[in-house]
Amino acid sequence: MDIDLPDGYEISTDPARLDAELIHRWLSQDAYWALGRSREKQDSAIAGSLNFGLYERASGAQLGYARVVTDRSTFAWLCDVYVAPAARGKGLGTALAAAVRDGLAPYGLRRILLATADAHEVYAKVGFVPLATADKWMALGEQ
């Protein structure tokens, strides 16, 4: 299952390329799951995660972001996936999810999870499926 990144874009895991201020603005002001998140909280999340940035190749401008919380051995949680509104509809979200999937593949993880209220079709394109045994999972905290 190979998803091509459209011409003119690139994905990088280099933390030095991340625009933390932009990521915070996107998530805290426009992402339903992170509305109101503090900059301090976001910076801490970035520092403790494997981060994927989506960039326009010509300008270097950041157009998307995805964050993975993982032990790099058995488990990963894909979260904070965001594509700038002006860049949507070009397959970039699917390409970003595929890059995360492919970037995690060498670790041989048993499970990669995510939660979404509205983008199931994006993640299904790269192999994600609904939990078969959701009744086994439990949560502590905000739901």
Side-chain angles (χ1 to χ4, degrees):
M1 183 180 313
D2 192 24
I3 305 291
D4 290 323
L5 185 62
D7 287 340
Y9 301 94
E10 60 187 354
I11 294 172
S12 173
T13 57
D14 179 356
R17 293 188 67 186
L18 296 173
D19 184 336
E21 181 179 337
L22 178 63
I23 293 167
H24 175 254
R25 187 170 58 249
W26 283 340
L27 297 178
S28 69
Q29 296 178 12
D30 191 43
Y32 67 85
W33 65 90
L35 293 175
R37 183 182 291 168
S38 73
R39 174 67 191 267
E40 178 181 54
K41 184 78 73 179
Q42 184 61 50
D43 287 350
S44 178
I46 289 171
S49 301
L50 175 59
N51 302 281
F52 292 75
L54 168 69
Y55 304 91
E56 183 177 53
R57 187 170 283 129
S59 69
Q62 187 168 352
L63 299 175
Y65 175 71
R67 184 168 71 84
V68 179
V69 180
T70 183
D71 61 9
R72 292 179 171 89
S73 182
T74 62
F75 178 81
W77 176 267
L78 172 57
C79 54
D80 288 347
V81 180
Y82 188 92
V83 174
R88 293 179 187 165
K90 301 175 183 179
L92 296 173
T94 301
L96 186 55
V100 169
R101 177 201 61 208
D102 296 348
L104 293 174
Y107 299 120
L109 302 173
R110 180 176 177 180
R111 185 170 288 116
I112 302 169
L113 293 179
L114 65 84
T116 183
D118 59 358
H120 296 81
E121 67 285 348
V122 170
Y123 300 107
K125 290 177 186 175
V126 300
F128 283 89
V129 297
L131 284 174
T133 55
D135 59 318
K136 291 183 180 181
W137 292 87
M138 298 180 72
L140 177 65
E142 196 175 314
Q143 293 186 41

